């Protein structure tokens, strides 16, 4: 499935069209990781030390192994999303539906996610590059560690009282949202036998692009013109963490208490409180900072349509007007 030529080419065409949609409408961010891997592969082009890649099939300036890597990256990401769809049965209420249906759904989610991961591992083995296998395996380990931390902390209602700080937030967010893209970009350069400097620039682009994309997502509940009062948001998202850091623990706890009504948190009230502080504007600045870092990494690649597309993706997720 991973190595059929026509699906790979079809994926490239699909991702290119999604890229154009993403540039003009930031809501279209499907298959972003595979798109970035393909575009950065095309932007870097073949290496001057490319003798060992001569036998690889190249279509549209991208090696077949790089196209396979893009699909593997999407398989891993999709597997994670499927696994995240598992329902906590202990939190179910009678109005949520029959328990047996939920149990069956959880089993299907686990098996489906495992099936995708198995296909990704098989595809990695077929690439026959130990460094790429090591990079993607470490990215998968980072994902598991990051998601485990998110789940363990979100399960604790009083976790909102902890002041993790923005530096800790960055470390945790890289694990759960940035490592896969960053290491996939680096792996794409390794497959084309680019040197360590080019690999590092690709890694930096993937890292900072993923960070700016995550911050943009965190900002949406606070910057949308029309937001339902019933819509919740992550209390460990970038704007909230920055807001908490500016206030200090005591004032933050006071605001949390003021937003409590009958034991429940009034997200609409807390959202307005956060918007009145510095957290949202600081998160926008942080998003643009990572975007600029991603653009700096691209300067080492020669001008091309692929590089322009990568730049446009950054512009799309750092535009807030």
């Amino acid at each position: 499935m991973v190595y059929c030529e026509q699906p790979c080419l079809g994926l490239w065409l699909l991702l290119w069209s999604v890229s154009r949609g993403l540039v003009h409408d930031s809501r279209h961010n499907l298959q972003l990781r595979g798109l970035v891997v393909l575009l950065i592969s095309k932007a870097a082009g073949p290496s001057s030390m490319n003798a060992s890649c001569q036998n690889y099939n190249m279509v549209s300036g991208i090696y077949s192994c790089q196209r396979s890597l893009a699909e593997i990256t999407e398989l891993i990401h999709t597997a994670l999303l499927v696994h995240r769809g598992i329902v906590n049965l202990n939190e179910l209420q009678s109005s949520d539906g029959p328990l047996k249906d939920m149990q069956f759904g959880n089993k299907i989610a686990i098996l489906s996610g495992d099936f995708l991961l198995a296909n990704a591992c098989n595809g990695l083995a077929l690439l026959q590059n130990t460094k790429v296998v090591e990079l993607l395996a470490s990215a998968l380990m980072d994902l598991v560690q990051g998601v485990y931390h998110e789940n363990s902390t979100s399960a604790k209602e009083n976790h909102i009282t902890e002041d993790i700080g923005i530096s800790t937030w960055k470390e945790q967010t890289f694990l759960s949202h940035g490592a896969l893209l960053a290491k996939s970009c680096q792996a794409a350069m390794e497959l084309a036998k680019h040197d360590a400097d080019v690999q590092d620039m690709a890694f930096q682009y993937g890292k900072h692009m993923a960070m700016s994309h995550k911050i943009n997502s965190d900002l949406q509940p606070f910057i949308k013109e029309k937001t339902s009062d019933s819509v919740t948001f992550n209390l460990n998202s970038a704007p909230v963490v920055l807001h908490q850091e500016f206030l200090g623990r005591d004032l933050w706890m006071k605001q949390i208490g003021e937003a409590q009504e009958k034991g429940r948190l009034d997200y609409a009230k807390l959202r307005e409180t956060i918007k009145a502080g510095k957290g949202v504007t600081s998160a926008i600045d942080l998003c643009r900072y990572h975007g600029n870092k991603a653009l700096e990494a691209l300067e080492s690649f020669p001008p091309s349509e692929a590089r322009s597309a990568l730049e446009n993706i950054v512009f799309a997720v750092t535009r807030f007007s």
Side-chain angles (χ1 to χ4, degrees):
M1 180 177 70
V2 174
Y3 288 88
C4 181
E5 291 301 326
Q6 285 304 114
C8 288
L9 182 56
L11 177 64
W12 159 249
L13 295 174
L14 173 62
L15 292 175
W16 183 263
S17 65
V18 172
S19 165
R20 295 189 178 277
L22 179 65
V23 169
H24 295 97
D25 186 349
S26 60
R27 292 174 299 178
H28 294 87
N29 54 17
L30 297 175
Q31 298 177 310
L32 175 63
R33 289 153 190 81
L35 167 66
V36 170
V37 172
L38 290 172
L39 288 177
I40 205 162
S41 298
K42 186 173 178 64
S47 170
S48 57
M49 308 272 305
N50 200 23
S52 61
C53 293
Q54 293 294 331
N55 295 327
Y56 287 167
N57 182 33
M58 177 178 280
V59 177
S60 300
I62 302 172
Y63 290 112
S64 59
C65 56
Q66 292 174 319
R67 298 196 302 275
S68 298
L69 175 65
E71 293 186 350
I72 291 167
T73 301
E74 282 300 333
L75 280 175
I76 293 173
H77 176 66
T78 303
L80 176 68
L81 294 181
V82 172
H83 278 159
R84 280 187 165 183
I86 296 173
V87 177
N88 187 348
L89 300 179
N90 294 327
E91 296 179 355
L92 286 181
Q93 300 177 359
S94 57
S95 59
D96 293 327
L99 179 62
K100 288 185 178 180
D101 290 348
M102 298 297 180
Q103 290 174 331
F104 179 75
N106 279 354
K107 291 177 181 178
I108 293 299
I110 293 171
L111 290 173
S112 300
D114 289 350
F115 174 78
L116 293 174
L117 284 175
N119 274 272
C121 292
N122 181 61
L124 277 175
L126 292 175
L127 290 178
Q128 298 182 348
N129 187 305
T130 55
K131 184 175 180 180
V132 170
V133 172
E134 181 182 350
L135 281 169
L136 270 293
S138 65
L140 186 56
M141 180 182 68
D142 291 339
L143 277 171
V144 172
Q145 183 179 345
V147 173
Y148 174 80
H149 176 81
E150 286 182 358
N151 291 342
S152 62
T153 54
S154 63
K156 302 175 184 177
E157 190 66 26
N158 63 349
H159 180 68
I160 57 176
T161 66
E162 296 181 16
D163 184 4
I164 63 173
I166 194 61
S167 60
T168 302
W169 180 89
K170 287 182 179 180
E171 294 173 2
Q172 296 171 356
T173 300
F174 172 75
L175 291 176
S176 57
H177 293 86
L180 178 60
L181 182 58
K183 293 182 179 181
S184 293
C185 289
Q186 181 181 351
M189 301 300 99
E190 164 63 23
L191 286 172
K193 302 303 178 184
H194 285 287
D195 60 29
D197 290 338
V198 176
Q199 290 187 32
D200 182 61
M201 289 300 100
F203 177 93
Q204 294 301 324
Y205 176 83
K207 171 186 174 181
H208 291 291
M209 171 59 217
M211 294 296 289
S212 61
H213 186 268
K214 178 61 170 65
I215 298 169
N216 179 287
S217 177
D218 285 355
L219 279 163
Q220 292 308 307
F222 301 94
I223 62 176
K224 284 183 178 178
E225 294 183 2
K226 295 182 180 179
T227 302
S228 173
D229 290 343
S230 60
V231 173
T232 62
F233 52 88
N234 192 337
L235 292 174
N236 294 312
S237 61
V240 181
V241 171
L242 286 165
H243 176 77
Q244 179 182 354
E245 194 168 63
F246 279 118
L247 283 180
R249 179 182 175 85
D250 293 338
L251 286 177
W252 169 242
M253 288 305 302
K254 181 180 178 181
Q255 289 185 351
I256 288 291
E258 292 172 348
Q260 296 276 356
E261 289 187 4
K262 297 180 181 180
R264 290 181 172 272
L265 191 60
D266 186 341
Y267 281 91
K269 184 176 182 179
L270 186 59
R271 183 188 298 110
E272 295 304 315
T273 301
I274 294 171
K275 288 171 66 175
K278 299 180 180 179
V280 174
T281 55
S282 296
I284 290 174
D285 291 340
L286 184 62
C287 181
R288 288 172 174 162
Y289 165 80
H290 285 290
N292 289 333
K293 285 292 185 181
L295 293 175
E296 287 178 12
L298 285 178
E299 292 178 358
S300 61
F301 296 92
S304 65
E305 288 187 0
R307 172 177 150 177
S308 296
L310 290 169
E311 292 170 345
N312 287 334
I313 292 174
V314 175
F315 296 148
V317 298
T318 55
R319 187 185 302 121
F320 295 97
S321 56

